[in-house]
Amino acid sequence: ADSLDALRSRLDVPALRLQSFQIRDDEADPDLGFATIVARLAEAGRVEAAFALVERRRGRELADQMIRGLALRRFADDTMRPAPVTPVALSELQQSLGPATALATYVTGRGGEPTTVFVIQAGGATTHRLPPIDSLTPALSSFTSLVEQGDPAPAVAARLGRVLVGPLIAGLPAAVSRLVIVPDEGLYRLPFDALIVDPGQPILERFVTSLLPSATLLVRLRRLPSRQGAGLLAFGDP
């Protein structure tokens, strides 16, 4: 990771743009077993080191997505480049979370790699090993399609809720009412609010949920000065 970040820092904008377009999503193992490495570190108790690797990788991915977006703009030029952001440390993230908020970061891969979820609160951090995302792909696709058609699909919602969310909320104190979710891979399209957890309760009835692409972004957003009198844009049954 150090070598990769050092290499990227030396690239000029055209070279970095070319590199970002060379990423292939159809490769069998495009991340070289990253999810497995994270799982092993977490199982060995090196939660802070594993979390640091995850946030560094997310930062690189977000930067590449921004570079590709900028390059496709009509008036793009060779000076357009996202400003580098230092990934947040686990201790810094914990300090930014209040007692009513928990953050869940998912890390998964392809080809049967394990799924790891980091559950971070102000008072500590734990990890849970979940089934490979490959084993859940049919259920995820089916559930998303059914929800888009207006079908709550309670049986599938309960199964996915039990597997993906049940282990991480089982240890949360009752005072936690906000859940910030950082998905990965196919979980980005999953409507977490519609999942059902024991005892037959939709997640939205227990938590105010929100989704973010990285934990670092949560800390950066909370550091922004508050704006008084901000408006509200609300949609009902769009």
Side-chain angles (χ1 to χ4, degrees):
D2 290 340
S3 299
L4 180 57
D5 287 337
L7 171 64
R8 289 169 61 93
S9 68
R10 295 193 298 269
L11 296 177
D12 58 17
V13 174
L16 187 59
R17 184 178 299 162
L18 178 62
Q19 181 268 337
S20 70
F21 273 99
Q22 289 175 335
I23 297 173
R24 292 179 52 189
D25 294 330
D26 60 345
E27 295 177 355
D29 188 13
D31 59 11
L32 302 178
F34 181 82
T36 302
I37 296 171
V38 170
R40 296 293 185 269
L41 285 171
E43 290 170 353
R46 300 182 62 185
V47 178
E48 188 170 357
F51 180 79
L53 283 177
V54 170
E55 281 301 298
R56 290 177 70 173
R57 179 198 180 199
R58 289 190 190 277
R60 288 193 294 269
E61 290 178 339
L62 289 171
D64 283 341
Q65 291 175 19
M66 293 176 66
I67 290 168
R68 290 196 291 269
L70 289 172
L72 294 174
R73 290 174 56 178
R74 181 178 179 184
F75 300 106
D77 60 50
D78 289 344
T79 64
M80 292 182 174
R81 179 174 183 172
V85 177
T86 303
V88 66
L90 181 60
S91 58
E92 185 181 2
L93 174 62
Q94 289 176 291
Q95 293 173 3
S96 72
L97 297 175
T101 302
L103 182 139
T105 293
Y106 289 83
V107 182
T108 189
R110 305 177 191 178
E113 289 193 85
T115 299
T116 303
V117 58
F118 294 78
V119 183
I120 303 166
Q121 305 172 68
T126 59
T127 62
H128 302 270
R129 180 166 178 162
L130 306 182
I133 198 69
D134 300 340
S135 66
L136 301 174
T137 297
L140 290 170
S141 300
S142 174
F143 181 62
T144 302
S145 298
L146 290 171
V147 170
E148 289 174 348
Q149 298 170 20
D151 184 348
V156 186
R159 179 196 168 195
L160 291 175
R162 181 173 59 255
V163 173
L164 293 174
V165 183
L168 67 96
I169 67 174
L172 293 179
V176 175
S177 59
R178 293 182 176 272
L179 183 62
V180 180
I181 300 172
V182 181
D184 195 19
E185 291 282 346
L187 297 177
Y188 272 104
R189 295 190 66 243
L190 176 65
F192 280 90
D193 277 345
L195 297 183
I196 296 176
V197 293
D198 293 334
Q201 180 185 39
I203 292 178
L204 61 84
E205 293 185 2
R206 178 172 176 185
F207 299 104
V208 175
T209 64
S210 57
L211 270 66
L212 285 175
S214 76
T216 299
L217 184 58
L218 174 65
V219 176
R220 298 297 182 265
L221 289 174
R222 291 194 168 188
R223 287 178 177 175
L224 294 176
S226 60
R227 295 184 296 174
Q228 300 298 325
L232 171 67
L233 177 64
F235 295 90
D237 193 14

